[in-house]
């Protein structure tokens, strides 16, 4: 059985892969990195909050140059219910295939395997219904 690990700490694998953010208990601001204090209200209490796996595309850049595995599309996705995350838009490298505000959902893929055979799993977003 192959062991898999998430490529980033805030990706939770399993039957329903999803992202987890640190939510400020006082104002609800969401962070993916670990913080000592909220950037908005300076409170210091955070709780772990699972985020939605669907959202809408807020911005994107198609990267052509110097990409070894390129081209690829870098996107900013606003998740339903809160949370803004930057990730690649999977399977779309033409502006024709992208609409502003298009709906997307989280998708995972194998990013690489280390010497012990452990597979690192990364995430991106794919268009819904495409
Ligand atoms: Zn706060």
């Amino acid at each position: 059985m192959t062991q898999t690990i998430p490529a980033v700490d805030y990706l939770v694998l399993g039957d329903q892969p999803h992202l987890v953010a640190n939510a400020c208990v006082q104002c609800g601001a969401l962070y993916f990195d670990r913080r000592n204090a909220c950037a908005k209200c300076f409170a210091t209490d955070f709780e772990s909050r699972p985020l939605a796996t669907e959202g809408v595309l807020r911005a994107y850049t198609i990267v052509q140059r110097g990409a070894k595995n390129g081209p690829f599309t870098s996107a900013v996705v606003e998740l339903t219910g809160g949370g803004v995350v930057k990730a690649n838009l999977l399977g779309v490298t033409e502006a024709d295939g992208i609409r502003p505000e298009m709906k997307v959902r989280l998708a995972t893929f194998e990013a690489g395997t280390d010497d012990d055979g452990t597979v690192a799993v990364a995430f991106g977003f794919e268009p819904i219904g495409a």
Side-chain angles (χ1 to χ4, degrees):
M1 173 129 184
T2 308
Q3 191 184 353
T4 57
I5 55 166
V8 292
D9 286 340
Y10 52 89
L11 172 63
V12 178
L13 301 176
D15 293 340
Q16 285 268 300
H18 62 278
L19 303 181
V20 172
N22 296 312
C24 173
V25 170
Q26 185 161 303
C27 78
L30 298 170
Y31 302 98
F32 289 110
D33 53 349
R34 200 175 307 250
R35 288 185 173 255
N36 291 322
C38 176
K40 289 186 179 163
C41 74
F42 305 108
T44 54
D45 290 330
F46 294 88
E47 62 185 5
S48 181
R49 182 182 299 173
L51 302 180
T53 56
E54 295 186 356
V56 295
L57 187 67
R58 288 297 182 215
Y60 69 92
T61 307
I62 297 175
V63 179
Q64 304 279 4
R65 278 180 308 150
K68 199 193 285 180
N69 303 315
F72 63 92
T73 304
S74 176
V76 175
V77 171
E78 183 175 347
L79 297 170
T80 305
V84 175
V85 60
K86 194 173 176 189
N88 286 356
L89 195 59
L90 305 176
V92 182
T93 53
E94 304 275 343
D96 285 356
I98 301 174
R99 300 184 317 279
E101 312 289 297
M102 73 193 285
K103 288 189 169 162
V104 296
R105 74 173 150 233
L106 187 83
T108 57
F109 60 93
E110 295 185 359
T113 308
D114 72 10
D115 293 341
D116 297 327
T118 301
V119 176
V121 176
F123 73 95
F125 289 90
E126 60 186 14
I128 294 176

